[in-house]
Amino acid sequence: MITGHFEYHRPKTVDEVVSLLSRHGDDGRVVAGGHSLVPMMKMRLADPAHLIDLRNVAGLDRIREDAGNIRIGATVTQHAIVESELLTRKLPILKEAALLIADPQVRYVGTIGGNVANGDPGNDMPAVMMALGARFVLRGPKGEREVDPRAYYEAPYVTAIGDAEVLTEIRIPVPPARHGWAYAKMKRKIGDYATTATAVILTLEGGVCKSAAIALTNVAPTPLYVEAAGKALVGTKGDAAAIATAANAAMKAADPVSDMRGPAEFRRHVTGVMTQRAIETALKRARGG
Amino acid sequence: MAKTQIKLKVNGKDVEALVEPRMLLIHFLREQMNLTGPHIGCETTHCGACTVDLDGKSVKSCTIFAVQADGSELLTVEGLAAADGTLHPLQQAFMQEHGLQCGFCTPGMITRAYRLLQENPNPSEEEIRWGLSGNLCRCTGYQNIVKAVRSAATAISQGREAAE
Amino acid sequence: MGNQAIPSTEERKEKLCGMGHSRRRVEDARFIQGKGNYVDDVKLPGQVFGDFVRSPHAHARIKSINAEAAKKIPGVIAVLTANDLRPLGLHWMPTLAGDTQAVLADEKVHFQNQEVAFVIAEDRYAAADGIQAVEVDYEPLDPITDPKQAMAKDSPVLREDAQGKDSVGQGPRKHPNHIFSWDVGDAQATEDAFRAAKVKVKEEIFYQRVHPCPLETCGCVASMDKVRGELTLYGTFQAPHVVRTVVSLISGLPENKIRVIAPDIGGGFGGKVGAYPGYVCAVVGSIVLGRPVKWIESRLDNLSTTAFARDYHMTGELAATPDGRITGLKVHVLADHGAFNAHAQPTKWPAGLFSIVTGSYDIPAAHCVVDGVYTNKAPGGVAYRCSFRVTEASYLIERMIDVLAAKLKMDPAELRIKNFIRPEQFPYNSALGWEYDSGDYHTAMKKAMQAVDYAGLRREQAEKRKRGELMGIGIAFFTEIVGAGPSRNCDILGIGMFDSCEIRVHPTGSAIARFGTKSQGQGHETTYAQILASETGIPADSISIEEGDTNTAPYGLGTYGSRSTPVAGAAAARAGRKIRHKAQMIAAYMLEVHDDDLEFDVDGFRVKGLPEKRLSMKELAWAAYHQVPPGMEPGLEAVDYYDPPNFTYPFGAYICVVDIDRHTGEAKIRRFYALDDCGTRINPMIIEGQVHGGLTEALAIAMGQEIVYDENGNVQGVTFMDYFLPTAVETPKWETDFTVTPSPHHPIGAKGVGESPNVGGVSAISNAVIDAFTHHGVTHMPMPHTAWRVWQQCHALGIDR
């Protein structure tokens, strides 16, 4: 229940953040909502000597549209995502996914940056970002760079983020107005991590699937982009056989651990089920339903 | 570890205090401010018994450090009743509808319900259950809690109409 | 006196707010304002904080404990180990079941997270740092986590301290890891019944280990006043007087120098009955340091070390005629008690009241054997609204009835009705030795079946089955046994399980009443006043109820097992009648009539036939202090210690409808109807609240809760990450209903209700889930019915595609 000792920093700019991270190296951790990091610190599974609070850093909490991209600052909370009229209109999958994360209190404080940056395979937004073809913007001593979420996750809690780098923003290309979207999450109760979850983003043209991206949550050591599942839909009319092929591809790619949510065999099976249901929902929405 | 000074507003009163950076907000409230309304029911950020209202947000105070609340405005269950002691409609409704038994989840539950009714002044039963899903209760089975929040929503809107 | 207009009887009854009213709760005022006084709210001057170093191993020898680094941490005051407690004889303590339990691990640890050292510091932050710094050197040993292995020939001996002992408090034992064998019923008659039976069913039924998990964990503040030689002990105690007696016995301090205070308690559910190492260490710490010591356990500590529930491996067998008349019941239980037998039971009952396992049915022959064993798990067993193992017994018989129904291809409701104890058979003597006080099962069952349109549900199920959809209808018709209990068969550490009420009426007509029970949310401050109001004619609002302070409350055995209403409620009624009787004599004297010329009229006495000649209780209270008849003592107070002549037997008819997604195994409760008969209903609103809460706990048990140990003794499922506590979203709406069959032996006919919903709820929900599969030939599915387990059943049947 009680964390170790640390020094608390409240920088006002990203440059200050980077400078603090450079100075303290492995002893420094950024914190935004803190609802991933602080529970770990309370269990003494994380013990940073320096805590760098991002919430007063200017400019990290905005949501805006800019030249065909939606830009979401790292410290935007899940609550703000749910309440955002812009996101509800243009990126409705984000609201659907955010409402499936944790509970109302945690959503008030938990941030999108916190959810995608640290490599927890149980977090929901990484798969959504993979399906959306988003870009993570990282800032470090050498400046700013963009990373593809599909290449960002290496192992549980191990990501491509560099020393002294901090995630500042997520950039998402705005999908066409009538795109197909769904985040389907199976869980034991409100607040639980996913037993399995699937994110689907697709587009139809003349009833034929033009693009499809499918990614999975918590059924592998990292969030999992399943290229074969999306490919199984492209060029088809989204008929039952195509959906089944896509779902099977997702099942095959999944490599879940056995835990109290169920044995690996079960979790693999329901990955197929939830992928099928997510695709069906996405298609229905793309078709105007 | 050196202590930090924090300044915040708690239940309408200005407060200045010295805290270790690692002091959790819940401990600051309970131990230093002697506000023992919010309770501790777990250490994994699940139960919600520690819920407070921080700058207009429902927050689990066991997962925030007091230093992070520097400059903030905080409301706990102790600050819900009016200055003259008149109970908040939620408090009255919980009593009227038997929305509590052991009382341990009640401060966090009422504080969360307070913010829920600000978010949604006329919630359906399903919306209430969803809105309170960050607060666990072992005694009531939630049924009368939902009734109480529904009843308070009606009372508040009637009070608002009467005032207009 | 007597000339003003009296309000009507109805008005006076309203004002009195006696039994039967849904009186709003007195205790709410402080809770809704955050002004409750729970143990962790207690702050005494000079208070320090203690917490434990715990073993990561399930079974290991302790080679050394090095606290030097810990003691150097700023704020750390002391570190206690078994070696420090040994000279005081407190490194082990007696349990309620006649065994002993290590307070701090003595050379050996017996379960993961067992207490090894107690670090005392200025505050909980320093204590946490101190705990991190204590170094313990362990030599791991092979653990036993499968109770079936406990009595194997070559299994390791877990309790070396008990080696060579013939008994560890519950009779002769057969093996170093064996605790007791308990045998009840008629083995021969049962054997004969089975031999003659044309129909027999047998099923292995495991009731998984769970935990009562109240929202407030256990804790205490121990404060030794060395000047006065007095110990004050605040704590989460469902039975404060028992704690006082135990502390006296183990510390040597006399009871008049120990004050135990159970303040507000945030839920108990049986998890706060026993004594825990934390209490003992806090007391020792306070005596040694001369400062108050607070101990509050974490949730992880709570779920993994204090008071588990169930863990019964049961085998049930029923013998029956081809047309469904049950002729015999055979039960064997392998009871996994963990590392120490800390079973919170009346002493002579090693399996509690499990022998209620004949349930609501007229079974002529029954035999039951329970074998308890040690394993490397946390100690406990009796908890979680179980009425002393009644939940286990009821689960077994209600499952077996369904198993038999399936075998006979008979409707489960019809089979139950056919075997119900009939109204004219009450008081009914069961084959396992209980005298059931009263019941009318047929009426309750009929009412329940009509309310849910049972026939319609079965028709719907048949339709759905044709389409391959899974729908289940589960019935539980439970009879449970509560109100422990008659001292001829119930004692805790030798103290009979009576309970008490002491009421003192003040000159101006209000009163204070104190009880030996202790509410943890059951609303005693509200409901006891209602009983007393009905009996004394003093309005409930004028009667303050106090519990929990052993300096002032009369001796009682506490609140658990739904015993408060049957036992202390009876004491309240009888104490109230003593008050009324004295008031009657005063009234007769003042009105110059004979006692018998008076009749009690809601809130006073009036002369029969002359209603304007009356005196209110308020006037009589005043008179009691200066106008008593010659020879009578002044004052108006009464005490009653009630030793119940029997237990009480509440019953209920619960019906549950579930729909199951055969692809994911997820089951959803579509409808749950609960009819309870708890005899006389004191406060309908509170009864309903108890049922809602108990059913929600039942939902949690049936659908998701389990505490699991792997083969290395690592415990899983002991944080809220995994231990399933439903939120408001997972919890369905509960429909409640009732019948009233008073208890003939209880002064107000009341039976108690708190535990019924957990007893009946688990069976109804579990039976519903399994019922969804009976057309596939499935006879049983183990709890909890998590999505993965239910899916495994679907998968085995090939219906998950």
Side-chain angles (χ1 to χ4, degrees):
Chain A
M1 178 83 186
I2 310 291
T3 73
H5 296 269
F6 57 85
E7 250 185 77
Y8 175 71
H9 307 270
R10 238 181 166 175
K12 294 203 180 60
T13 66
V14 178
D15 284 337
E16 269 181 73
V17 173
V18 172
S19 152
L20 283 163
L21 283 171
S22 299
R23 190 177 332 140
H24 296 296
D26 284 341
D27 284 339
R29 288 288 295 264
V30 294
V31 65
H35 277 43
S36 296
L37 181 60
V38 176
M40 283 176 63
M41 289 172 69
K42 285 162 72 173
M43 289 193 278
R44 306 249 176 164
L45 293 174
D47 201 7
H50 295 269
L51 211 58
I52 301 157
D53 194 335
L54 295 178
R55 282 182 307 170
N56 287 78
V57 175
L60 290 187
D61 61 352
R62 293 192 297 162
I63 304 172
R64 57 209 161 99
E65 190 168 1
D66 179 18
N69 281 312
I70 299 270
R71 298 171 62 174
I72 308 178
T75 63
V76 169
T77 63
Q78 306 293 354
H79 179 86
I81 288 174
V82 169
E83 296 292 300
S84 161
E85 188 269 328
L86 175 66
L87 293 179
T88 303
R89 239 183 330 116
K90 301 223 166 168
L91 280 172
I93 193 177
L94 288 185
K95 179 173 176 175
E96 177 154 269
L99 284 172
L100 289 165
I101 294 174
D103 61 56
Q105 286 94 313
V106 176
R107 288 195 291 275
Y108 260 121
V109 176
T111 64
I112 185 83
N115 202 268
V116 302
N118 70 358
D120 182 343
N123 286 348
D124 294 285
M125 286 298 186
V128 175
M129 295 305 161
M130 287 173 165
L132 284 169
R135 286 278 182 275
F136 295 158
V137 177
L138 307 177
R139 182 104 70 87
K142 301 203 199 103
E144 197 174 274
R145 64 187 180 109
E146 287 190 2
V147 177
D148 181 347
R150 297 172 193 174
Y152 180 76
Y153 302 97
E154 294 167 5
Y157 300 98
V158 179
T159 68
I161 203 164
D163 294 341
E165 276 189 320
V166 59
L167 186 146
T168 57
E169 189 176 273
I170 301 172
R171 290 179 191 151
I172 307 167
V174 178
R178 185 88 77 72
H179 67 284
W181 54 276
Y183 188 65
K185 178 176 179 180
M186 182 177 168
K187 56 191 188 320
R188 294 173 294 180
K189 58 175 269 197
I190 299 278
D192 195 15
Y193 284 113
T195 298
T196 184
T198 306
V200 175
I201 294 286
L202 55 82
T203 55
L204 297 179
E205 206 173 76
V208 175
C209 179
K210 184 164 169 221
S211 68
I214 296 176
L216 308 174
T217 298
N218 211 25
V219 289
T222 64
L224 199 61
Y225 177 66
V226 188
E227 193 172 355
K231 272 203 170 124
L233 291 177
V234 172
T236 76
K237 289 209 164 111
D239 55 283
I243 296 173
T245 309
N248 282 329
M251 264 206 293
K252 224 170 145 222
D255 179 27
V257 295
S258 296
D259 64 12
M260 294 198 87
R261 296 177 186 85
E265 186 199 22
F266 166 72
R267 298 182 71 187
R268 197 188 296 274
H269 170 85
V270 290
T271 297
V273 175
M274 296 315 279
T275 300
Q276 178 193 327
R277 292 181 184 177
I279 296 170
E280 285 165 351
T281 304
L283 284 168
K284 188 157 168 243
R285 287 166 171 160
R287 290 170 185 146
Chain B
M1 183 79 354
K3 293 197 174 176
T4 313
Q5 197 197 40
I6 57 173
K7 282 189 199 170
L8 59 160
K9 213 172 190 144
V10 181
N11 294 333
K13 287 209 196 86
D14 289 313
V15 169
E16 269 182 52
L18 276 176
V19 295
E20 264 190 284
R22 68 173 179 165
M23 171 162 261
L24 295 169
L25 182 60
I26 184 65
H27 288 139
F28 171 70
L29 291 170
R30 290 180 51 80
E31 308 292 324
Q32 258 179 265
M33 301 270 335
N34 281 322
L35 289 167
T36 56
H39 296 133
I40 297 171
C42 77
E43 58 272 4
T44 52
T45 319
H46 285 97
C47 77
C50 65
T51 302
V52 300
D53 202 74
L54 181 70
D55 295 329
K57 297 175 271 202
S58 299
V59 164
K60 293 183 178 179
S61 63
C62 69
T63 309
I64 306 275
F65 297 108
V67 289
Q68 292 179 290
D70 183 28
S72 287
E73 266 189 58
L74 209 94
L75 180 72
T76 71
V77 71
E78 289 97 329
L80 273 179
D84 67 355
T86 308
L87 294 174
H88 189 278
L90 272 167
Q91 291 169 309
Q92 286 170 11
F94 267 69
M95 265 211 297
Q96 192 56 29
E97 301 296 335
H98 189 36
L100 63 147
Q101 292 180 27
C102 81
F104 201 73
C105 77
T106 306
M109 191 72 74
I110 291 183
T111 308
R112 169 59 196 144
Y114 165 80
R115 181 51 53 190
L116 170 61
L117 291 181
Q118 308 277 331
E119 294 161 7
N120 183 353
N122 188 22
S124 66
E125 184 183 315
E126 198 186 325
E127 286 168 333
I128 293 171
R129 286 177 179 271
W130 173 263
L132 296 178
S133 59
N135 291 77
L136 297 176
C137 173
R138 291 290 279 154
C139 297
T140 68
Y142 306 102
Q143 196 149 319
N144 288 343
I145 291 176
V146 173
K147 270 171 92 178
V149 176
R150 200 36 257 165
S151 166
T154 304
I156 292 170
S157 72
Q158 280 172 355
R160 214 172 273 137
E161 280 166 35
E164 280 154 9
Chain C
M1 67 193 172
N3 272 336
Q4 304 98 322
I6 344 162
S8 72
T9 305
E10 279 325 302
E11 280 176 89
R12 284 182 293 124
K13 276 185 175 165
E14 276 299 307
K15 183 161 186 287
L16 193 79
C17 209
M19 296 193 292
H21 284 85
S22 284
R23 182 181 182 220
R24 296 314 188 261
R25 294 195 342 159
V26 165
E27 30 287 79
D28 288 0
R30 60 187 186 272
F31 296 141
I32 55 172
Q33 300 185 70
K35 297 291 182 200
N37 188 34
Y38 302 89
V39 170
D40 200 10
D41 300 342
V42 172
K43 290 185 189 109
L44 302 180
Q47 181 178 289
V48 295
F49 196 86
D51 201 358
F52 288 102
V53 174
R54 294 178 178 276
S55 167
H57 301 287
H59 193 206
R61 289 197 200 289
I62 298 175
K63 290 173 45 197
S64 67
I65 303 176
N66 186 346
E68 292 315 303
K71 287 180 191 159
K72 294 201 182 82
I73 296 212
V76 173
I77 301 168
V79 179
L80 301 179
T81 68
N83 286 338
D84 299 298
L85 299 181
R86 196 189 314 275
L88 307 165
L90 288 174
H91 54 320
W92 289 80
M93 63 177 174
T95 71
L96 294 176
D99 195 0
T100 52
Q101 172 176 357
V103 173
L104 288 171
D106 182 16
E107 297 176 5
K108 207 182 168 201
V109 292
H110 291 88
F111 62 96
Q112 190 179 54
N113 291 344
Q114 185 183 352
E115 304 83 357
V116 171
F118 191 62
V119 174
I120 304 176
E122 292 293 339
D123 59 50
R124 62 190 84 204
Y125 282 66
D129 293 338
I131 288 165
Q132 295 278 307
V134 173
E135 290 156 15
V136 185
D137 195 11
Y138 298 96
E139 180 198 311
L141 302 167
D142 288 329
I144 298 178
T145 56
D146 180 355
K148 299 187 184 87
Q149 293 308 309
M151 293 210 280
K153 211 153 61 100
D154 49 356
S155 61
V157 173
L158 301 186
R159 293 287 304 279
E160 290 169 351
D161 61 290
Q163 215 158 4
K165 285 196 192 159
D166 285 327
S167 160
V168 283
Q170 298 295 334
R173 51 196 207 118
K174 314 187 255 221
H175 182 285
N177 295 328
H178 182 235
I179 305 173
F180 66 85
S181 274
W182 187 62
D183 187 309
V184 65
D186 190 333
Q188 188 59 59
T190 308
E191 209 43 55
D192 294 343
F194 272 80
R195 206 173 310 115
K198 295 245 168 49
V199 180
K200 286 189 279 239
V201 288
K202 181 175 181 173
E203 200 69 53
E204 306 276 331
I205 295 171
F206 172 50
Y207 201 138
Q208 80 277 23
R209 179 177 277 237
V210 286
H211 191 286
C213 197
L215 199 61
E216 178 205 31
T217 60
C218 299
C220 69
V221 180
S223 182
M224 185 68 202
D225 180 334
K226 290 199 179 184
V227 170
R228 288 181 174 73
E230 288 170 359
L231 173 70
T232 303
L233 180 62
Y234 294 85
T236 48
F237 305 134
Q238 293 178 236
H241 292 90
V242 174
V243 171
R244 186 186 73 191
T245 305
V246 168
V247 171
S248 176
L249 291 172
I250 66 178
S251 71
L253 280 168
E255 282 190 88
N256 69 324
K257 293 293 192 181
I258 301 173
R259 181 179 184 186
V260 171
I261 299 173
D264 292 320
I265 301 182
F269 314 124
K272 293 171 175 170
V273 175
Y276 299 121
Y279 304 150
V280 178
C281 290
V283 169
V284 171
S286 183
I287 292 173
V288 165
L289 297 174
R291 296 172 71 176
V293 177
K294 175 183 274 191
W295 167 70
I296 306 287
E297 61 172 2
S298 71
R299 180 58 60 188
L300 175 65
D301 300 341
N302 175 254
L303 291 175
S304 65
T305 72
T306 52
F308 80 89
R310 319 286 192 270
D311 218 346
Y312 257 27
H313 299 256
M314 307 184 279
T315 307
E317 297 179 73
L318 282 174
T321 64
D323 67 333
R325 259 322 250 123
I326 298 171
T327 55
L329 167 69
K330 232 193 275 184
V331 183
H332 179 263
V333 180
L334 178 62
D336 186 337
H337 278 238
F340 308 107
N341 187 10
H343 217 234
Q345 67 191 49
T347 47
K348 302 181 192 60
W349 303 87
L353 305 175
F354 186 81
S355 47
I356 197 66
V357 69
T358 54
S360 311
Y361 312 103
D362 182 17
I363 302 177
H367 181 227
C368 172
V369 174
V370 181
D371 279 303
V373 295
Y374 291 125
T375 57
N376 290 114
K377 300 179 187 172
V382 165
Y384 210 168
R385 256 166 148 145
C386 74
S387 306
F388 301 112
R389 300 290 188 181
V390 174
T391 39
E392 292 85 323
S394 191
Y395 184 65
L396 180 100
I397 187 65
E398 290 303 301
R399 281 271 58 245
M400 290 311 299
I401 296 287
D402 272 20
V403 170
L404 179 62
K407 178 88 180 249
L408 294 169
K409 298 204 185 342
M410 213 172 144
D411 179 276
E414 197 192 320
L415 179 61
R416 283 175 168 82
I417 294 168
K418 188 158 192 155
N419 287 279
F420 275 162
I421 300 163
R422 295 181 313 281
E424 62 271 18
Q425 288 180 287
F426 287 94
Y428 171 80
N429 286 295
S430 81
L432 294 178
W434 297 115
E435 185 190 272
Y436 294 22
D437 58 2
S438 67
D440 182 355
Y441 300 157
H442 296 78
T443 301
M445 186 66 149
K446 190 165 166 202
K447 191 169 184 188
M449 290 172 73
Q450 267 173 6
V452 302
D453 183 15
Y454 182 77
L457 286 171
R458 286 290 176 200
R459 281 194 302 272
E460 183 193 348
Q461 184 185 50
E463 279 304 309
K464 287 206 145 100
R465 282 175 169 176
K466 286 190 199 130
R467 293 197 300 270
E469 289 169 35
L470 296 173
M471 169 188 164
I473 304 162
I475 302 171
F477 199 103
F478 64 92
T479 295
E480 70 147 342
I481 172 173
V482 298
S487 59
R488 67 175 178 279
N489 39 25
C490 289
D491 68 274
I492 299 270
L493 297 179
I495 300 171
M497 292 185 73
F498 56 84
D499 226 283
S500 58
C501 167
E502 175 194 281
I503 174 169
R504 180 174 302 152
V505 184
H506 303 319
T508 46
S510 60
I512 296 180
R514 298 174 171 130
F515 291 81
T517 51
K518 176 62 207 173
S519 174
Q520 319 105 42
Q522 295 89 332
H524 293 173
E525 289 169 46
T526 304
T527 53
Y528 282 155
Q530 291 179 256
I531 296 174
L532 287 166
S534 291
E535 296 292 347
T536 64
I538 298 169
D541 285 347
S542 300
I543 306 175
S544 299
I545 305 296
E546 293 179 359
E547 287 175 310
D549 183 341
T550 60
N551 263 16
T552 51
Y555 205 100
L557 278 293
T559 295
Y560 41 81
S562 298
R563 66 184 298 275
S564 300
T565 295
V567 193
R574 284 163 34 128
R577 288 170 196 176
K578 291 176 187 175
I579 296 286
R580 194 164 90 215
H581 177 68
K582 181 165 183 177
Q584 183 167 5
M585 294 200 293
I586 297 171
Y589 173 72
M590 288 168 71
L591 292 171
E592 296 174 316
V593 296
H594 194 268
D595 291 359
D596 294 343
D597 295 327
L598 290 173
E599 59 189 5
F600 186 66
D601 171 42
V602 181
D603 56 358
F605 286 95
R606 66 183 175 201
V607 177
K608 291 178 189 168
L610 285 171
E612 69 277 9
K613 278 193 90 173
R614 74 186 311 274
L615 284 166
S616 69
M617 280 304 295
K618 199 166 151 84
E619 289 166 306
L620 292 167
W622 184 253
Y625 285 85
H626 81 293
Q627 208 174 332
V628 293
M632 181 191 277
E633 279 179 32
L636 189 57
E637 65 185 70
V639 179
D640 195 88
Y641 282 78
Y642 184 73
D643 186 357
N646 193 2
F647 294 79
T648 58
Y649 299 80
F651 59 93
Y654 291 178
I655 302 183
C656 176
V657 183
V658 299
D659 298 296
I660 299 178
D661 181 332
R662 61 190 168 85
H663 300 286
T664 63
E666 288 166 308
K668 200 166 155 66
I669 295 181
R670 192 208 302 175
R671 184 169 188 188
F672 196 106
Y673 169 91
L675 183 154
D676 278 279
D677 192 316
C678 60
T680 301
R681 291 157 61 84
I682 298 158
N683 183 321
M685 177 188 82
I686 287 187
I687 290 170
E688 202 183 72
Q690 289 291 306
V691 176
H692 293 163
L695 289 177
T696 305
E697 291 188 333
L699 167 77
I701 291 171
M703 301 309 294
Q705 286 177 348
E706 54 182 334
I707 293 181
V708 175
Y709 288 78
D710 71 15
E711 66 275 11
N712 296 315
N714 296 312
V715 65
Q716 282 139 23
V718 287
T719 70
F720 286 167
M721 182 73 73
D722 289 304
Y723 194 68
F724 178 55
L725 294 193
T727 71
V729 170
E730 291 81 39
T731 307
K733 232 177 145 165
W734 309 110
E735 294 167 58
T736 58
D737 202 346
F738 64 95
T739 54
V740 180
T741 313
S743 169
H745 67 74
H746 189 278
I748 53 175
K751 290 188 176 182
V753 77
E755 303 195 315
S756 292
N758 200 317
V759 173
V762 174
S763 296
I765 296 168
S766 184
N767 279 350
V769 171
I770 300 167
D771 181 72
F773 292 91
T774 47
H775 61 306
H776 287 295
V778 173
T779 57
H780 183 67
M781 292 162 65
M783 291 194 293
H785 301 298
T786 52
W788 67 265
R789 278 199 184 86
V790 176
W791 171 77
Q792 281 181 335
Q793 181 67 81
C794 295
H795 188 64
L797 293 168
I799 59 176
D800 60 325
R801 306 252 133 251

